[in-house]
Amino acid sequence: VAYPNCSRVIQQVFLVLERSLRADAREGGNWTRFEEGKRYSLILEPVAKLFHCRPSFDTDVNHVSYIDLVEGTEEGDDGNVVGCITALAVAAGDEQLWKPLNHAVLEAAGTDGRSEVRRAGLKCLLSLMKTLGEEYMVLVPECLPVLSELMEDSNEEISGLARDIVTLAEEVTGENFEDTLA
C-alpha cells in the first residue's frame, strides 16, 4: 500500500512534538520530567534512534531527504529530529537528564560510518550548545574526545563543524581546549 505524502506526515508529527516540548519548557518542563524523567526517556530513545535511519519514501511524491527529516529544511517550517531533541533538552532542563541525550548525540556524531549521520549529530550538538548555552557546558568534557577525532575527519564539512563547536564551547566557557584536544 502506498501512502502519498508519508514523509510530510512524519515531519508534521516531529513539528507537533517539538512545539509541545517547547510549550512544556515554557511551563517549567514538569510534563517532560514526570515520574523522574520516565516520559523524557520514552521520548528520547526512539527519537535519537532516528539519527541512524535510512528513510525510504520511494512511493512518496513529495520525497524528503535524510537531511530534511533529521536536520530540517532551510525554511525551518517542518519538524525534524534535531529540533525535537533540542526542544526535549530545553524542557528537561536538567544536567542528569541531558547525559543520555548527549551520549546519543555523540554516538551519532562519532561512531557512525555515514557522513550524513555524523553531520546530523554535530548539527544537533551545535543546536544544543547554542540553545542551552552555559548550562550545557558541563557536558563539554564528555564531548571533547569525539570532537577531537572529528576535527581530523576527511570530510571537510564534518571537521569544520567540529571546530565550530569547539570554538563555541571555548567562547562560552572562556577556556582554551587546545591542550585537551591534542
Side-chain angles (χ1 to χ4, degrees):
V1 176
Y3 296 100
N5 298 318
C6 180
S7 58
R8 186 80 181 119
V9 170
I10 292 169
Q11 285 183 300
Q12 292 303 305
V13 169
F14 283 149
L15 187 60
V16 168
L17 178 59
E18 180 181 342
R19 288 182 177 168
S20 298
L21 290 167
R22 290 193 187 282
D24 183 47
R26 284 190 298 277
E27 297 295 320
N30 293 325
W31 184 87
T32 301
R33 291 189 307 273
F34 182 72
E35 289 188 8
E36 297 178 7
K38 283 185 182 179
R39 191 172 284 150
Y40 172 87
S41 297
L42 287 171
I43 296 169
L44 174 60
E45 186 177 335
V47 174
K49 284 182 181 179
L50 292 172
F51 276 118
H52 306 282
C53 75
R54 293 181 186 268
S56 176
F57 303 115
D58 296 335
T59 58
D60 193 339
V61 177
N62 298 318
H63 174 76
V64 173
S65 72
Y66 171 88
I67 291 171
D68 292 344
L69 193 62
V70 177
E71 293 179 27
T73 61
E74 290 290 321
E75 297 80 35
D77 57 353
D78 292 316
N80 58 76
V81 172
V82 170
C84 286
I85 287 181
T86 303
L88 182 62
V90 172
D94 182 293
E95 176 187 332
Q96 292 306 309
L97 292 175
W98 291 341
K99 285 185 178 199
L101 181 144
N102 192 57
H103 176 75
V105 171
L106 291 175
E107 183 179 325
T111 62
D112 201 288
R114 294 169 41 212
S115 62
E116 66 267 20
V117 177
R118 292 193 313 276
R119 173 187 144 142
L122 286 171
K123 291 247 179 167
C124 189
L125 185 57
L126 188 60
S127 175
L128 289 164
M129 288 182 171
K130 284 181 174 180
T131 303
L132 297 168
E134 193 172 342
E135 290 179 67
Y136 200 76
M137 294 301 130
V138 296
L139 296 172
V140 166
E142 295 177 23
C143 301
L144 291 177
V146 173
L147 291 170
S148 177
E149 188 175 314
L150 290 171
M151 288 171 67
E152 305 298 323
D153 197 283
S154 60
N155 182 318
E156 290 182 24
E157 184 178 17
I158 302 289
S159 59
L161 275 169
R163 281 191 294 279
D164 291 347
I165 292 169
V166 169
T167 300
L168 176 63
E170 288 176 336
E171 289 172 1
V172 172
T173 63
E175 295 180 40
N176 184 334
F177 297 117
E178 189 174 316
D179 293 337
T180 310
L181 295 168

